[in-house]
């Protein structure tokens, strides 16, 4: 079952950049909206809800979208992946409920957390449909969906804050419209490419989970690692300071959406190069990706160094412009994180899943130590410094792991030649 021919790499990247870029802009618009028409405490509650739900959702998602893209087993169908993702979403609600029992927060915070989780459930289901589109190299469907998704996000939260003055109202509306978007667009079009039969094949599902669960741990740990400084900052300095950090770090998130889009578009080709033993082509692709990132990143660091105060004042207000050094450190950290993500895609292409697990665990340990040393006494600047050192550690570890995967490819080629 298929619909149309695959698009060229250039068109796929263009659609991905357009969709994800606009979605990132809408996410950024939400932060600006809350900062301008709400307050830093409301922004802190919003980002706290994102930070506590993301590791759970990402762990149980198990990067099934990427696994679909590189899957070479015809017995593992869209139905298998959808079953696993649906059960994972149910488990996420249960796990979060248990965690919140041990947290001392207001009803307002609890409500925001649950509404964010429900919105992430529909986002998670849409992500699996995106895996079908990506597998068939039809990123135009993803791009269109992302455009609608971002518009609904911005409209829903804007209505909630500007009309009712409450973030919860906007998030409730968001859950409803994202659910309709998933059913009316993502699932509808995904079924045109691959059939969806709700027959539970435990054996096939077990094979996928066994293979992909390490990827889920990697994704969950990656999100947890990024959010460790936020947890410590909120604990030591409160929601308002967390709101300040979140506004500044969103530039990192926005850039990550763009570079992640490029990596996702390149992933099928990187996997193909690796399977076919095309080492030189693989190296050239990785060099181009990393080189492009460093050039753009250097320009971003220069702009942040020269004009951090005017930029922060314009976007968020004078309150945020009091921390220019923290802003520059966050931008440098972001650039290193983008480069690291491309080595992560290289490891995905080589199916070196357990390498990524070890990297995430090592990075988590380093981040925990750095956070408890730097953040309680240094606040926002300590959190920015922790993010920078965390990404340095992750980049070095990812580079070493990628070189190990590359060496394995060379050895396999030599073994084939000798035989």
């Amino acid at each position: 079952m298929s619909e149309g021919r695959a698009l060229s790499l250039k068109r796929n990247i263009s659609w991905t950049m357009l969709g994800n870029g606009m979605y990132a802009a809408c996410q950024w618009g939400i932060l600006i909206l809350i900062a301008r028409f709400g307050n830093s405490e409301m922004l802190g509650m919003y980002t706290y809800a994102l930070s506590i739900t993301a590791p759970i959702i990402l762990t149980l998602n198990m990067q099934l979208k990427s696994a679909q893209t590189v899957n070479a087993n015809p017995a593992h169908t869209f139905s298998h992946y959808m079953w696993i993702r649906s059960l994972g979403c149910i488990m996420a609600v249960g796990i979060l409920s248990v965690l919140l029992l041990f947290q001392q927060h207001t009803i307002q915070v609890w409500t925001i957390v649950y509404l964010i989780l429900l919105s992430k459930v529909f986002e998670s289901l849409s992500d699996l449909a995106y895996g079908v589109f990506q597998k068939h190299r039809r990123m135009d469907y993803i791009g269109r969906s992302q455009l609608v998704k971002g518009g609904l996000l911005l409209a829903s939260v804007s209505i909630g804050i500007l009309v009712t003055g409450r973030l919860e109202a906007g998030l409730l509306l968001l859950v409803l419209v994202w659910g309709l978007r998933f059913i009316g667009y993502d699932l509808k079009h995904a079924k045109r490419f691959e059939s969806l039969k709700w027959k539970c094949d435990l054996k096939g599902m077990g094979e996928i989970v066994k293979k992909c669960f390490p990827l889920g741990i990697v994704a969950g740990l990656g999100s947890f690692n990024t959010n460790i400084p936020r947890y410590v900052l909120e604990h030591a300095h409160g929601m308002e300071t967390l709101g300040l950090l979140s506004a500044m770090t969103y530039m990192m998130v926005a850039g990550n959406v763009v570079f992640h889009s490029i990596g996702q578009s390149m992933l099928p080709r990187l996997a193909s190069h690796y399977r076919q033993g095309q080492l030189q082509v693989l190296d050239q692709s990785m060099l181009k990706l990393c080189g492009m990132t460093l050039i753009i990143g250097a320009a971003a660091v220069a702009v942040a160094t020269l004009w951090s105060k005017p930029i922060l004042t314009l976007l968020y207000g004078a309150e945020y412009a009091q921390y220019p050094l923290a802003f520059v450190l966050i931008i440098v950290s972001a650039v290193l994180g983008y480069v690291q993500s491309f080595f992560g895609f290289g490891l995905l292409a080589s199916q070196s899943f357990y390498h990524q697990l070890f990297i995430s665990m090592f990075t988590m340990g380093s981040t925990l130590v750095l956070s408890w040393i730097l953040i309680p006494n240094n606040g926002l600047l300590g959190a920015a410094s922790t993010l920078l050192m965390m990404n340095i550690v992750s980049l070095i570890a990812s580079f070493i792991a990628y070189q190990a995967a590359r060496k394995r490819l060379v050895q396999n080629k030599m073994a084939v030649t000798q035989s």
Side-chain angles (χ1 to χ4, degrees):
M1 184 181 298
S2 63
E3 184 177 279
R5 64 176 61 183
L7 300 182
S8 66
L9 177 62
K10 182 178 180 180
R11 290 190 64 189
N12 276 325
I13 290 179
S14 298
W15 270 109
T16 306
M17 291 280 287
L18 175 63
N20 285 354
M22 287 300 296
Y23 179 58
C26 290
Q27 287 181 304
W28 194 1
I30 293 302
L31 294 186
I32 295 174
L33 180 75
I34 297 174
R36 289 290 188 179
F37 296 96
N39 51 54
S40 56
E41 184 180 9
M42 182 185 290
L43 185 56
M45 288 188 288
Y46 176 69
T47 53
Y48 175 77
L50 291 173
S51 69
I52 198 173
T53 56
I56 300 171
I57 284 288
L58 289 174
T59 299
L60 295 173
N61 278 358
M62 293 183 281
Q63 297 192 49
L64 293 179
K65 175 186 172 184
S66 296
Q68 280 179 287
T69 303
V70 301
N71 174 49
N73 187 347
H76 295 161
T77 66
F78 180 39
S79 300
H80 289 94
Y81 290 100
M82 185 59 77
W83 260 107
I84 297 169
R85 179 59 55 84
S86 300
L87 293 174
C89 290
I90 295 172
M91 290 177 62
V93 175
I95 292 172
L96 181 67
S97 299
V98 172
L99 289 177
L100 287 179
L101 291 176
F102 299 95
Q103 304 293 321
Q104 295 182 345
H105 289 301
T106 63
I107 295 297
Q108 183 183 17
V109 173
W110 278 43
T111 303
I112 291 173
V113 170
Y114 269 113
L115 288 172
I116 288 289
L117 177 64
L118 291 176
S119 71
K120 291 298 178 183
V121 165
F122 288 116
E123 186 177 44
S124 175
L125 294 172
S126 291
D127 178 71
L128 207 56
Y130 292 174
V132 174
F133 303 142
Q134 183 179 353
K135 180 180 179 181
H136 293 271
R137 301 187 184 183
R138 290 301 303 266
M139 307 297 279
D140 52 327
Y141 284 98
I142 300 178
R144 294 187 187 99
S145 178
Q146 291 282 66
L147 290 173
V148 175
K149 177 181 173 183
L152 292 174
L153 170 65
L154 187 57
S156 299
V157 178
S158 296
I159 291 172
I161 292 178
L162 297 179
V163 176
T164 70
R166 298 188 66 85
L167 178 61
E168 304 94 291
L171 293 176
L172 177 59
L173 181 59
L174 177 66
V175 171
L176 296 174
V177 295
W178 270 13
L180 293 174
R181 177 189 62 92
F182 164 69
I183 296 171
Y185 184 88
D186 296 332
L187 185 60
K188 175 183 175 182
H189 288 289
K191 289 164 70 173
R192 294 180 179 179
F193 288 92
E194 296 188 12
S195 62
L196 177 60
K197 299 177 181 178
W198 290 102
K199 182 179 180 181
C200 186
D201 176 14
L202 294 179
K203 180 180 179 182
M205 291 166 58
E207 292 172 350
I208 295 173
V209 170
K210 181 179 179 181
K211 183 178 182 180
C212 295
F213 189 68
L215 289 178
I217 299 296
V218 168
L221 285 177
S223 176
F224 182 68
N225 291 343
T226 303
N227 286 307
I228 286 172
R230 293 177 172 85
Y231 302 145
V232 177
L233 187 65
E234 188 275 331
H235 178 77
H237 298 275
M239 287 288 185
E240 290 187 17
T241 307
L242 176 60
L244 297 174
L245 175 68
S246 301
M248 293 186 187
T249 55
Y250 191 75
M251 293 191 182
M252 180 195 317
V253 177
N256 185 62
V257 169
V258 175
F259 287 105
H260 187 78
S261 300
I262 297 173
Q264 284 287 353
S265 297
M266 288 292 296
L267 181 57
R269 291 200 176 195
L270 293 176
S272 177
H273 296 329
Y274 191 89
R275 285 195 299 266
Q276 297 175 24
Q278 298 172 334
L279 183 61
Q280 185 176 0
V281 180
L282 184 64
D283 287 344
Q284 290 175 350
S285 298
M286 292 296 295
L287 183 62
K288 289 178 181 178
L289 291 171
C290 294
M292 171 197 65
T293 305
L294 289 173
I295 292 172
I296 296 174
V301 171
V303 170
T305 302
L306 294 172
W307 297 297
S308 57
K309 287 188 176 182
I311 291 172
L312 291 172
T313 302
L314 176 64
L315 293 175
Y316 305 116
E319 180 184 9
Y320 296 81
Q322 300 175 32
Y323 306 94
L325 179 57
F327 181 61
V328 173
L329 292 178
I330 287 169
I331 298 299
V332 176
S333 171
V335 174
L336 297 180
Y338 304 150
V339 176
Q340 184 275 331
S341 70
F342 286 128
F343 285 112
F345 280 112
L347 291 171
L348 271 176
S350 65
Q351 299 194 32
S352 302
F353 300 152
Y354 282 95
H355 284 86
Q356 292 182 297
L357 177 58
F358 295 138
I359 291 169
S360 296
M361 294 180 67
F362 179 69
T363 304
M364 180 184 69
S366 303
T367 306
L368 281 169
V369 173
L370 291 167
S371 294
W372 285 111
I373 292 175
L374 295 175
I375 295 176
N377 294 326
N378 298 287
L380 188 60
L381 185 60
S385 301
T386 300
L387 290 172
L388 174 59
M389 285 186 271
M390 176 191 76
N391 279 339
I392 291 174
V393 169
S394 182
L395 174 58
I396 293 173
S398 297
F399 177 77
I400 293 172
Y402 175 75
Q403 290 300 318
R406 185 182 180 279
K407 182 179 179 180
R408 187 171 68 247
L409 178 59
V410 173
Q411 292 173 341
N412 291 339
K413 287 184 65 176
M414 292 178 61
V416 171
T417 302
Q418 292 174 356
S419 62

